[in-house]
Amino acid sequence: MKLIKILLLTAALSLMTTAANGADYSDSNFNYKYNKSQKFARVESTKKKTATSLTIPSKITVDGVSYPVTQIGDYALSDLHSLKSVTIPSSVTEIRSGAFSNCFELRSVTIPSKVTKIPADCFSMCLELSEVNLPKNLVEIGSGAFMYCQKIDIINWPSKLAKVGDYAFFDAKLPQLVALPATCVEIGQEAFRGTDVVNFQLPATMTSIGRMAFADNRKLMGITMPASVGTIGDYAFFGNVVLTEVTMPQTIGRLGESTFESCDKLNHVIWSKSQSVVPKRTFFECCELEWITLPDHVTSIGEMAFSECYNLKEFHFPTQLKTIGDFAFDDANLGEIEFPSGLTKIGVGAFNANSRLETLTIPRSVTEIGAEAFNNNPHLDIIKVESATPPILGTDGFHQYTYFSALLIVPEQSVMAYKRAAEWSNFQYINQRSSGIDLLPAEGEDQDFNPAKYYDLQGRPIGSPRPGELYIHDGKVQFNR
């Protein structure tokens, strides 16, 4: 009971203190809260819901006492759909969340110099906002502060700005060049997503780029990434369809997944010297990527890292590479593959549909090859496996056509082991072609030896192959589609 009395007394004293120090006040334009002890006032709302122009006073006078207006409250002037201009006095030091959100017609705003942070959602959905004057002492732009502002063509970047928060300019339209100040060290997730900026210049002090921070900038042609960047989040540059070249920082603590996914025109990448892993989907659907040189210390290429890179016709595999992830080079159109001697695993579908691939050597270090790893490679004719022990080969590791037409070359003493091993036993020709091929006239020999142009797999002449049939022509096994 005694405890209950103490709690009730504490609550009563709190209410008395609030009544003494904080109170409501209204004039013809605004509603306020004012604090008697600390001598300041805060704008809470406006009575002019359809006003096109508002001027916030620098002070209010209550019972002969002046209170400077230092704050604009949470969502105080939001949803004023007709408001085109607002004058904020220099007395204001704090603007709270959503203060001007959904003011669809607001055209320009100048924020007083004493304000150090633009809070969350402050100007979100100000669709006509075209000119933003940020205060010189600003250090942070909060989450979603200018989200969906579709017409910003003038904005200054204060010299003390340190952080651009999550979604700060999400789907806003900004000037073609954004040069962030030297003090800026952090860019939050999706901060500049979909802004249509042509060129970003990031300062040498930048340390963190958030998830999707620069994604979907469909006009972005260049970005300067300083050596100081320690973290690049997932999808950081996703969907920048005209970006052509990227030089990555030489030292990155963490590189996220899908960093450059769907950058359609990207064709030249200088990889970071510090990264030993290519994360999954890093260059997925970069269909114009022609070349990239990975340093030899790269040990892993992740799932779908280069999938659907149709123009990646040549690729140097790092000497220390150990694993290649599932579908890493699916539909990449490689014409030649030279695996390093230390490679141990090739993932599911890793080299599916590389239609230019003709020969393949699998080093003895490889112990596992995933299902469909080399499926749908119609021109693959010679496969050499150096391991005396057949590597684990997943279902349909090679195409059915390859099993019936290509030559599998293995260590001589291991022929029977391969003929008995799952999947490897599907190869019709292990270490030698069928005797029928040897009966064909060699190039330059008397063609009267056998006038037939086509032969079945036993070397017997046939008139012409039927659709779907394997046959021999000019000394090569072929498939009639």
Side-chain angles (χ1 to χ4, degrees):
M1 180 65 71
K2 185 176 181 181
L3 178 61
I4 294 174
K5 288 181 178 179
I6 292 172
L7 291 173
L8 290 172
L9 179 60
T10 302
L13 288 172
S14 177
L15 288 171
M16 289 171 64
T17 302
T18 301
N21 294 328
D24 296 329
Y25 175 77
S26 297
D27 59 21
S28 59
N29 292 318
F30 300 99
N31 301 309
Y32 307 87
K33 289 279 187 184
Y34 67 97
N35 188 296
K36 293 181 180 181
S37 63
Q38 297 182 21
K39 293 293 189 294
F40 73 90
R42 179 173 63 243
V43 176
E44 291 290 287
S45 62
T46 181
K47 297 177 178 180
K48 303 290 187 178
K49 299 298 184 182
T50 61
T52 59
S53 178
L54 286 174
T55 298
I56 298 171
S58 61
K59 65 180 180 178
I60 61 173
T61 302
V62 183
D63 297 330
V65 180
S66 292
Y67 298 90
V69 176
T70 62
Q71 298 179 4
I72 300 174
D74 294 315
Y75 299 91
L77 303 176
S78 65
D79 298 311
L80 303 180
H81 298 166
S82 301
L83 184 65
K84 294 184 178 181
S85 67
V86 61
T87 300
I88 305 172
S90 59
S91 59
V92 169
T93 61
E94 181 183 354
I95 301 174
R96 295 191 174 183
S97 298
F100 298 94
S101 61
N102 299 326
C103 292
F104 300 149
E105 296 294 324
L106 186 62
R107 306 300 170 90
S108 66
V109 63
T110 298
I111 300 166
S113 62
K114 293 179 182 178
V115 173
T116 60
K117 178 180 179 180
I118 307 297
D121 301 320
C122 188
F123 296 96
S124 65
M125 290 294 290
C126 290
L127 304 179
E128 295 294 325
L129 187 61
S130 61
E131 183 174 352
V132 179
N133 293 296
L134 298 174
K136 63 180 181 180
N137 293 312
L138 191 74
V139 296
E140 182 178 347
I141 299 175
S143 177
F146 294 94
M147 187 164 55
Y148 301 120
C149 294
Q150 296 284 308
K151 293 187 177 181
I152 298 175
D153 54 24
I154 299 174
I155 186 171
N156 63 307
W157 302 100
S159 60
K160 296 181 181 180
L161 183 65
K163 178 181 178 181
V164 180
D166 298 344
Y167 311 98
F169 294 93
F170 176 86
D171 205 27
K173 297 300 176 277
L174 293 173
Q176 291 189 352
L177 172 64
V178 169
L180 296 177
T183 51
C184 192
V185 296
E186 182 180 350
I187 296 176
Q189 65 178 358
E190 303 190 48
F192 290 99
R193 183 178 181 184
T195 57
D196 284 352
V197 172
V198 174
N199 194 299
F200 282 103
Q201 292 180 6
L202 307 185
T205 51
M206 182 69 60
T207 60
S208 177
I209 296 175
R211 183 183 186 275
M212 301 193 87
F214 298 98
D216 294 320
N217 280 285
R218 298 186 174 273
K219 296 180 181 179
L220 182 64
M221 300 183 67
I223 186 162
T224 303
M225 281 194 286
S228 59
V229 173
T231 301
I232 298 178
D234 299 345
Y235 297 91
F237 300 94
F238 172 89
N240 294 326
V241 295
V242 299
L243 183 65
T244 59
E245 296 186 5
V246 168
T247 299
M248 297 172 63
Q250 293 304 296
T251 56
I252 305 174
R254 179 189 179 274
L255 179 66
E257 299 173 356
S258 301
T259 308
F260 301 102
E261 180 175 333
S262 299
C263 291
D264 294 356
K265 298 295 182 181
L266 186 63
N267 59 34
H268 177 195
V269 176
I270 298 178
W271 189 254
S272 173
K273 290 182 179 179
S274 69
Q275 288 298 298
S276 61
V277 174
V278 181
K280 74 177 185 179
R281 300 174 70 101
T282 299
F283 298 101
F284 176 60
E285 288 186 338
C286 291
C287 51
E288 295 294 324
L289 185 63
E290 294 183 6
W291 70 272
I292 177 173
T293 300
L294 299 180
D296 281 334
H297 65 260
V298 169
T299 59
S300 175
I301 296 176
E303 174 185 331
M304 301 179 75
F306 295 93
S307 179
E308 298 189 28
C309 292
Y310 305 120
N311 282 306
L312 190 66
K313 297 176 182 178
E314 296 182 10
F315 186 86
H316 168 72
F317 288 88
T319 58
Q320 297 181 38
L321 186 66
K322 302 298 181 186
T323 61
I324 298 174
D326 295 347
F327 304 100
F329 294 88
D330 176 41
D331 219 357
N333 206 25
L334 292 178
E336 182 178 345
I337 294 176
E338 186 175 344
F339 291 128
S341 59
L343 184 68
T344 61
K345 181 180 179 180
I346 299 172
V348 173
F351 295 92
N352 177 63
N354 282 256
S355 60
R356 298 172 60 248
L357 189 60
E358 296 182 356
T359 62
L360 179 66
T361 299
I362 300 173
R364 61 174 54 89
S365 55
V366 173
T367 59
E368 182 179 351
I369 301 172
E372 301 184 17
F374 297 96
N375 204 354
N376 296 310
N377 294 317
H379 301 295
L380 188 56
D381 188 51
I382 297 176
I383 300 113
K384 182 180 180 181
V385 185
E386 295 179 342
S387 176
T389 302
I392 296 171
L393 179 60
T395 304
D396 296 326
F398 295 86
H399 195 271
Q400 289 298 316
Y401 172 69
T402 304
Y403 285 133
F404 283 105
S405 64
L407 173 61
L408 176 63
I409 301 174
V410 301
E412 193 64 36
Q413 72 276 16
S414 303
V415 171
M416 290 308 300
Y418 277 84
K419 286 184 177 181
R420 292 169 180 165
E423 283 298 308
W424 294 109
S425 61
N426 290 330
F427 279 95
Q428 181 158 345
Y429 309 118
I430 301 180
N431 277 26
Q432 60 181 12
R433 299 287 195 183
S434 70
S435 59
I437 296 178
D438 296 333
L439 297 176
L440 296 176
E443 186 175 354
E445 292 183 4
D446 184 4
Q447 298 298 312
D448 291 337
F449 175 81
N450 195 325
K453 295 176 62 178
Y454 303 103
Y455 304 83
D456 63 20
L457 296 182
Q458 284 69 48
R460 296 173 298 198
I462 57 177
S464 61
R466 295 187 297 271
E469 183 178 36
L470 291 166
Y471 64 96
I472 299 169
H473 178 59
D474 288 339
K476 294 184 179 180
V477 176
Q478 301 185 38
F479 180 71
N480 186 17
R481 299 184 181 277

